[in-house]
Amino acid sequence: GRAHLHFASFDVDGYATRPMTDLERGVADERAPLRPTDGSSASPSSAPSKISFPLMVAFAVLGLGATLGSFVSSWGGDIVQVLQLASHNKIPVSYMHVPRTGGDTLRFTVPHLGVPITGEERCYKYVHRERAINAVMFRDPREHVLSQFSHCFANPHGAASMSPLWGFPRGNRGDTPKLGWMNGLNKWLKHFGENWHREDGYFNCFNPINMQARYLTCGAKDEVKDKEIHTGAERWGTPDDPGRAVWFQSAHYLGANDDAEPDLEKLIRRLDSMQVVGVTEAMKATACLIEYQSRGTVHPQCECGSDEKKFPWKEERNEAYQPYAYAEISEHSRELVMNVTRVDRLVHRYAVKRLIRDSLRAEEKMGKRFLCSATRRVLDAMLDEHKDGELEAALDQAWDEYRPGEKSLNHAEEASMGAFAIPRGPLAKPRKRSVRTYTAAEQEELMVKMTEARAAEVLPREALEEVPMTHFEYSR
């Protein structure tokens, strides 16, 4: 017959007495230990459970070690430095972003130094924070003015706000791109550099007159006048369909209550209230000084002698077409650049001095150097371009009474600074230029494309609709 298997109960001598009932089996299972206490009768299947925990711990330690090693390596391979950085508190940074100064690169790099930062392209009064490290960066005004023009000229986003219908000078029909850039620059500088007034307008793009300095003082807005087309805040559409006004709380344009040349005492007070004042020409030192002010120490790759390639740059380029450098434009155009940047040059000079002073103080406290020799030579050369008091004396003449070339004691020398001499004589070979002109049809096609460009390519549709005026906030 069929064999039956029964569980049985046993007496003290080990002899079977009777089969166990279901109830007895359940009670026995409940009372049975989870594993043998002495390990003598452990089954082979229980062996892996004894070694799995040590293995798990070992793998966890190895994984943690690999992660820590990678982190330490990214910070220069100095475990002491990493522990020091971890022990420091982070004070958040509020960054006043002056456009066309490399601010996006700085703003995206600083978080990789372990510093929280927010940056907005708005006036000082809207971004200054009492419980934060306030920072700003300025650029050599000569290069800054050309960068502004090149951005508006190129219209890299294809936005209707930079449509030719606003009248921005882009040269003459038939010009090559290079010639159009040069002819447009000359007209643009003449527009702003020869007795400009607010009612003359600014082509719905950057107004270059001391724009860097004006970011420190702008903000006293007129809700009526600053909404006017051509003279008020930029519009994201074309003149016939202007759409929403943006950059209301910025210095892209000259506000009705703003000064073309802000008061120096007010500028210095605003600058002195900021913990970090840097310059584009020493962006790495500026970023490292921001980190020091926030954390009390600096990234190992900030230190002089470190591998420059390992510095955590997060470069952000907003493309602009600029075929010529400042030294290659005409002397008259360079004079006009000087005229529209009288105060900006003072602000930039102050920023260079502040960066040197604050960096030296930080280096002394830390015992580490991050304002390196090559950068220091560049900054010193900028300070050597003018004598103390020279730029201030140039401001004695009122803004609305000036004439080109009269706003600086040594304007002729200034206008020639950085210009290079073109060799002449029998050995000098004439330059061969291949001039390409556009046909009327090609020119018309380009104009149509630019006119039909829409800001919707870079903004949501609701941003194009007329709404109560506000600033244009952005986030990344």
Side-chain angles (χ1 to χ4, degrees), residues 154-163 449-450 452-458:
N155 187 10
H157 302 304
S161 60
M162 300 181 195
S163 163
K449 286 182 178 179
M450 296 181 72
E452 292 182 348
R454 289 292 179 266
E457 297 177 16
V458 293

Side-chain angles (χ1 to χ4, degrees), residues 357-372:
R357 185 198 72 184
D358 295 347
S359 297
L360 292 178
R361 289 179 178 177
E363 289 176 344
E364 183 179 359
K365 291 182 178 180
M366 290 188 300
K368 302 175 181 178
R369 291 183 60 244
F370 61 87
L371 183 60
C372 306

Side-chain angles (χ1 to χ4, degrees), residues 70-323:
S70 175
F71 179 72
V72 171
S73 177
S74 68
W75 282 81
D78 188 348
I79 185 63
V80 176
Q81 178 75 22
V82 171
L83 294 176
Q84 181 188 9
L85 290 170
S87 65
H88 283 72
N89 294 326
K90 307 173 186 177
I91 303 176
V93 174
S94 179
Y95 177 63
M96 187 181 78
H97 179 190
V98 179
R100 311 310 301 168
T101 60
D104 279 342
T105 295
L106 183 73
R107 189 165 59 88
F108 296 150
T109 297
V110 167
H112 292 271
L113 300 177
V115 177
I117 184 173
T118 58
E120 294 186 83
E121 210 168 297
R122 301 166 67 194
C123 305
Y124 167 96
K125 66 178 293 184
Y126 300 114
V127 298
H128 191 272
R129 302 287 184 267
E130 291 298 327
R131 297 182 180 181
I133 300 298
N134 294 279
V136 65
M137 186 169 66
F138 299 104
R139 185 178 182 181
D140 183 334
R142 295 168 295 191
E143 299 298 333
H144 187 240
V145 167
L146 294 190
S147 181
Q148 293 175 62
F149 172 80
S150 298
H151 181 81
C152 299
F153 177 90
N155 187 10
H157 302 304
S161 60
M162 300 181 195
S163 163
L165 297 178
W166 289 105
F168 188 88
R170 290 185 171 88
N172 307 312
R173 287 183 180 274
D175 284 351
T176 62
K178 285 187 176 182
L179 185 58
W181 185 92
M182 185 65 79
N183 289 335
L185 175 69
N186 293 335
K187 293 179 182 178
W188 186 72
L189 289 174
K190 185 176 181 180
H191 174 81
F192 289 105
E194 295 184 353
N195 204 22
W196 179 88
H197 294 88
R198 189 173 184 273
E199 55 270 21
D200 295 331
Y202 67 111
F203 310 114
N204 204 53
C205 203
F206 299 128
N207 184 330
I209 301 176
N210 300 304
M211 186 173 77
Q212 297 186 86
R214 289 190 290 107
Y215 260 89
L216 292 165
T217 59
C218 62
K221 301 302 181 182
D222 186 302
E223 288 289 342
V224 176
K225 293 182 179 179
D226 285 340
K227 291 180 180 179
E228 295 175 353
I229 300 177
H230 297 290
T231 59
E234 291 173 59
R235 301 293 182 127
W236 276 114
T238 56
D240 55 340
D241 184 19
R244 180 184 177 184
V246 293
W247 304 117
F248 180 54
Q249 295 178 348
S250 78
H252 284 207
Y253 71 107
L254 183 69
N257 295 323
D258 294 333
D259 295 324
E261 292 191 332
D263 178 70
L264 284 183
E265 292 185 3
K266 185 175 183 179
L267 289 173
I268 297 302
R269 288 198 304 271
R270 293 284 171 90
L271 288 169
D272 286 345
S273 71
M274 306 191 82
Q275 287 72 27
V276 179
V277 179
V279 294
T280 305
E281 296 75 23
M283 189 183 296
K284 181 179 177 181
T286 301
C288 295
L289 182 59
I290 289 176
E291 184 192 6
Y292 170 78
Q293 293 288 10
S294 174
R295 301 173 65 90
T297 188
V298 293
H299 191 288
Q301 301 306 322
C302 283
E303 296 183 46
C304 299
S306 60
D307 188 352
E308 180 70 24
K309 296 180 180 179
K310 292 184 178 180
F311 189 78
W313 284 117
K314 297 299 175 184
E315 190 172 11
E316 180 74 9
R317 286 186 175 272
N318 293 311
E319 296 298 334
Y321 177 70
Q322 184 174 330

Side-chain angles (χ1 to χ4, degrees), residues 25-43:
R25 283 197 302 271
V27 172
D29 290 339
E30 289 290 332
R31 294 177 178 176
L34 294 178
R35 61 174 59 89
T37 56
D38 58 357
S40 58
S41 60
S43 64

